[in-house]
């Protein structure tokens, strides 16, 4: 699988971009704040419909876009044919630029205007339909903190991969998040004596069904990741280290439970903590509180591992993610590397380069091309990124 063509209009600092792509290594070099990450963000949105960099879609719309719209247009070549993906993002609250009579006023848009429109092969689709059309693996500097970062980052790592290869998982996760928000609001109202606690029963039934589905898929993915990550860790550590990724759910179902038995077990635990949840006004159990733990030779990396070990584990885990998605879909994901080489020592740079050189399509950004050996630069399609414009070199 690879991206054949990418066109952007008023996306971040790209007022207009028309880029032909194909298999191979594409190197985008430039100073900070020139648009390197923005380019990878656009490719990632084509794959997942959401930004890894923005808290809201509207943030990707260029402030000076005349219609306050950003457009992404991409052609993707897969084993089963070619796809044409179009995404239009609307910013309903653009900034007011200028002052007085010179201020730029936003155009009037009718109520109910969609904030994001998606087409696949010219047919309007939902965001959920887009996910999985083009799989991608993103490796950014933040991923080097997968081990020592927050639990939320580790959950995001699992969810981003699973959503691309398991559409039912993505659907269940979206529904689960909505119910968690509804349930938290209801818990607060019950705490303040505005609602009957028995109203939780219906939400809990739905919540436990979705939560057990999510947990079972996460368990399956972690089982596969462990098989794939172990040899990478051995290779990166010179055969000295054994890696194990442990799933730490917020409640522990019996390993031999069926989906139905796990749901009943979860429901009983929810009833046990109900009074505590009402007092605190939050949902205390569920996939939104799960975590991962990384063990090297049986010891916790976050507690006992060096900074170098933590980065080696992060690299091995990302390599395993790439292999997992390839095995799950039968297609090579597009690999996006956002300035990670500047964060690695020479040995790990060489190991990462060796791992990606034969990948079908790699889009890589850097501030310093001197990190790369001459033979790699000769193979790469190279672009200088300057203020939202690409210049081949």
């Amino acid at each position: 699988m690879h991206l054949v063509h990418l066109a952007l209009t008023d996306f971040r600092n790209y007022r207009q971009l028309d880029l032909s792509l194909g298999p191979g290594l594409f190197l985008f070099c430039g100073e900070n704040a020139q648009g390197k990450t923005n380019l990878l963000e656009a490719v990632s949105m084509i794959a997942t419909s959401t930004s890894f960099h923005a808290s809201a879609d509207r943030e990707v719309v260029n402030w000076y876009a005349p219609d306050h719209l950003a457009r992404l247009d991409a052609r993707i070549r897969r084993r089963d044919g070619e796809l044409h993906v179009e995404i239009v993002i609307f910013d309903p609250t653009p900034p007011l630029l200028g002052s007085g009579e010179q201020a730029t006023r936003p155009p009037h848009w009718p109520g109910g205007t969609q904030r994001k429109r998606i087409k696949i092969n010219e047919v309007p689709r939902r965001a959920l339909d887009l996910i999985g059309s083009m799989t991608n693996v993103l490796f950014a500097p933040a991923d080097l903190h997968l081990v020592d970062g927050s639990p939320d980052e580790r959950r995001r790592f699992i969810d981003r991969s699973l959503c691309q290869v398991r559409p039912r998982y993505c659907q269940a996760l979206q529904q689960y998040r909505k119910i968690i928000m509804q349930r938290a609001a209801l818990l607060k109202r019950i705490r303040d004596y505005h609602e009957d606690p028995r109203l939780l029963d219906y939400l809990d039934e739905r919540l436990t069904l979705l939560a057990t589905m999510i947990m079972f898929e996460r368990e399956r993915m972690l089982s596969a990741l462990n098989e794939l990550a172990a040899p990478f860790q051995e290779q990166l550590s010179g055969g000295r280290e054994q890696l194990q990724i442990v799933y730490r759910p917020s409640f522990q179902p019996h390993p031999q439970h069926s989906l139905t038995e796990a749901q009943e077990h979860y429901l009983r635990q929810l009833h046990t903590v109900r009074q505590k949840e009402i007092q605190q006004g939050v949902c205390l159990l569920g996939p939104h509180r799960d975590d991962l733990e990384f063990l090297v030779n049986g010891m916790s990396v976050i507690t006992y591992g060096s900074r170098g070990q933590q980065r080696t584990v992060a690299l091995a885990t990302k390599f395993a993610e790439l292999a997992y998605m390839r095995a799950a879909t039968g297609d090579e994901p597009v690999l996006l590397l956002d300035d990670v080489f500047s964060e690695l020592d020479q040995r790990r740079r060489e190991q990462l380069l060796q791992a990606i050189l034969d990948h079908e399509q790699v889009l890589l950004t850097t501030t310093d091309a001197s990190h790369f050996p001459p033979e790699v630069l000769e193979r790469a399609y190279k672009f200088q990124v300057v203020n939202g414009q690409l210049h081949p070199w």
Side-chain angles (χ1 to χ4, degrees):
M1 177 185 300
H2 61 269
L3 200 58
V4 176
H5 185 263
L6 177 68
L8 303 176
T9 304
D10 291 318
F11 182 92
R12 297 283 192 184
N13 67 335
Y14 287 94
R15 299 306 305 269
Q16 197 74 43
L17 174 71
D18 197 284
L19 178 63
S20 294
L21 296 156
L25 172 63
F26 290 80
L27 179 64
F28 302 94
C29 183
E31 297 179 358
N32 291 327
Q34 298 302 302
K36 301 186 303 297
T37 298
N38 297 346
L39 184 63
L40 300 193
E41 180 184 24
V43 174
S44 181
M45 286 196 79
I46 292 294
T48 65
S49 85
T50 57
S51 166
F52 64 77
H53 198 50
S55 58
D57 288 334
R58 57 178 289 272
E59 294 175 23
V60 307
V61 182
N62 187 284
W63 285 4
Y64 297 94
D67 296 324
H68 301 286
L69 299 172
R71 292 179 170 83
L72 302 86
D73 189 293
R75 293 195 176 274
I76 305 149
R77 188 158 295 152
R78 312 191 313 177
R79 285 183 308 131
D80 57 357
E82 194 167 290
L83 283 183
H84 180 209
V85 173
E86 302 167 85
I87 303 177
V88 176
I89 299 164
F90 164 57
D91 181 3
T93 56
L96 190 63
L97 303 174
S99 59
E101 295 183 0
Q102 301 298 319
T104 302
R105 303 286 175 182
H108 174 72
W109 292 92
T113 300
Q114 283 183 287
R115 297 192 180 185
K116 181 160 59 181
R117 297 193 295 271
I118 296 171
K119 288 184 179 180
I120 302 176
N121 289 340
E122 327 306 331
V123 179
R125 295 290 189 184
R126 302 172 302 164
L128 198 61
D129 299 323
L130 175 65
I131 298 172
S133 298
M134 183 187 81
T135 55
N136 80 101
V137 171
L138 171 71
F139 198 177
D143 291 303
L144 292 171
H145 299 286
L146 183 64
V147 176
D148 64 348
S150 69
D152 186 57
E153 290 177 51
R154 290 184 281 277
R155 287 191 295 270
R156 195 179 300 119
F157 159 71
I158 303 173
D159 293 340
R160 182 180 173 84
S161 295
L162 272 174
C163 278
Q164 293 186 72
V165 300
R166 298 277 186 266
R168 287 182 67 251
Y169 176 88
C170 195
Q171 190 172 17
L173 186 65
Q174 287 181 349
Q175 294 173 0
Y176 174 81
R177 286 170 174 167
K178 288 180 182 178
I179 291 177
I180 283 292
M181 291 177 63
Q182 293 169 358
R183 192 171 181 274
L186 180 57
L187 285 168
K188 291 183 177 69
R189 290 185 61 79
I190 293 170
R191 180 189 61 191
D192 298 335
Y193 304 102
H194 294 148
E195 297 288 0
D196 188 330
R198 289 174 295 182
L199 292 174
L200 287 167
D201 293 342
Y202 169 75
L203 283 181
D204 286 358
E205 286 283 347
R206 184 66 181 151
L207 180 76
T208 52
L209 174 63
L210 294 168
T212 47
M213 289 171 58
I214 290 167
M215 290 176 62
F216 268 62
E217 287 294 344
R218 287 180 176 179
E219 287 267 20
R220 288 175 58 190
M221 177 185 172
L222 265 295
S223 177
L225 274 188
N226 269 305
E227 291 185 17
L228 296 164
F232 284 122
Q233 183 72 19
E234 285 188 44
Q235 178 186 350
L236 291 170
S237 65
R240 297 185 303 274
E241 297 175 353
Q242 296 288 325
L243 172 63
Q244 183 184 9
I245 308 171
V246 182
Y247 180 38
R248 301 292 189 198
S250 61
F251 81 96
Q252 189 63 53
H254 192 280
Q256 296 180 344
H257 274 174
S258 67
L259 196 65
T260 302
E261 290 170 331
Q263 183 185 354
E264 292 170 354
H265 179 60
Y266 182 20
L267 196 57
R268 288 194 296 271
Q269 291 196 41
L270 276 180
H271 281 295
T272 301
V273 300
R274 176 173 287 189
Q275 196 56 43
K276 189 175 181 181
E277 287 188 317
I278 291 172
Q279 290 171 354
Q280 297 185 18
V282 294
C283 304
L284 296 175
L285 297 178
H288 63 294
R289 288 178 174 259
D290 290 353
D291 201 356
L292 302 179
E293 184 178 13
F294 298 86
L295 306 179
V296 167
N297 298 336
M299 306 290 284
S300 169
V301 180
I302 186 64
T303 304
Y304 301 105
S306 66
R307 185 174 177 83
Q309 272 184 318
Q310 292 175 6
R311 293 195 168 192
T312 299
V313 167
L315 277 175
T317 305
K318 294 302 287 188
F319 288 157
E321 178 192 11
L322 191 65
Y324 166 76
M325 294 181 70
R326 183 193 302 124
T329 64
D331 257 323
E332 289 272 354
V334 175
L335 181 56
L336 309 176
L337 298 167
D338 189 20
D339 202 21
V340 292
F341 284 85
S342 61
E343 301 287 330
L344 299 173
D345 59 32
Q346 184 62 33
R347 182 173 65 87
R348 290 185 178 86
R349 284 179 200 160
E350 292 172 359
Q351 290 168 330
L352 180 54
L353 270 176
Q354 190 64 35
I356 68 172
L357 278 179
D358 294 326
H359 194 70
E360 183 172 348
Q361 187 178 59
V362 181
L363 276 60
L364 186 156
T365 70
T366 184
T367 56
D368 186 0
S370 66
H371 290 320
F372 304 93
E375 59 271 23
V376 172
L377 293 176
E378 288 175 10
R379 291 179 56 174
Y381 300 94
K382 301 176 289 295
F383 295 86
Q384 192 74 29
V385 184
V386 181
N387 195 26
Q389 295 185 342
L390 303 185
H391 306 281
W393 60 284

